[in-house]
Amino acid sequence: MLSSKKVFSSFSVDDLSKAKEFYTNVLGLEVKDNPMGIIEIEFPNLSTVMVYPKPNHTPATFTVLNFPVDSIDQAVDELIEKGVKFEIYDEEHLKTDERGISRDNGGPSIAWFKDPAGNIFSVLETK
C-alpha cells in the first residue's frame, strides 16, 4: 500500500531565504522554489526534501539529513573553508576529534553540522 509512490521527506526552518542560500551556495545542492511557498532540495537519485518556513520553528535535536561522501576529511575541509562549523561531542558513546569527526565508534566516520535554522546535518564516509 505505502510502497507504490515516491517517498519524500520534509523539515522546517525559521528563515527560508537563509536556508536556500546556505543549501545552494555553501552545500552546493540543487534547490528549487515551490509555488506553495516552500523550497525543494533535489538529489541525483530523484529524491526530494521539502523545506518549509515555520514561524515557531524549533531545530531538530536529531540528524535531519545525512550526506554520504567518499572522503570525510575532504568533505569536512571543504565545508570548513565555506564557514561551516562542526559539532564537537565528548559523550560516553559519542566522541569526535577537534575537527568534529567521529571515527571508530562502531559505525562510519561521520561529522555533524547545523544549518542556519539549527537543524542537524551530517557528512558520513562511505567506502
Side-chain angles (χ1 to χ4, degrees), residues 2-15:
L2 298 179
S3 64
S4 63
K5 299 283 183 185
K6 182 175 137 183
V7 175
F8 67 92
S9 181
S10 65
F11 59 89
S12 70
V13 295
D14 55 357
D15 187 321

Side-chain angles (χ1 to χ4, degrees), residues 31-124:
V31 179
K32 294 185 177 180
D33 292 312
N34 179 298
M36 296 187 312
I38 64 175
I39 58 175
E40 296 178 358
I41 305 169
E42 296 191 351
F43 296 96
N45 64 358
L46 302 178
S47 63
T48 302
V49 174
M50 299 174 84
V51 181
Y52 57 93
K54 186 176 179 196
N56 61 345
H57 166 76
T58 301
T61 57
F62 51 88
T63 308
V64 173
L65 287 177
N66 295 283
F67 296 95
V69 295
D70 293 330
S71 168
I72 191 79
D73 292 295
Q74 181 179 352
V76 167
D77 288 345
E78 289 176 7
L79 289 169
I80 287 173
E81 285 179 22
K82 292 183 174 194
V84 172
K85 295 189 182 344
F86 284 85
E87 299 297 299
I88 304 296
Y89 296 107
D90 188 16
E91 301 172 11
E92 181 181 353
H93 298 289
L94 177 58
K95 298 193 183 304
T96 59
D97 63 20
E98 66 281 348
R99 294 173 56 223
I101 301 174
S102 172
R103 301 174 197 270
D104 303 318
N105 281 311
S109 294
I110 185 169
W112 293 270
F113 62 97
K114 293 181 179 176
D115 76 351
N119 294 311
I120 302 169
F121 292 179
S122 82
V123 288
L124 67 137

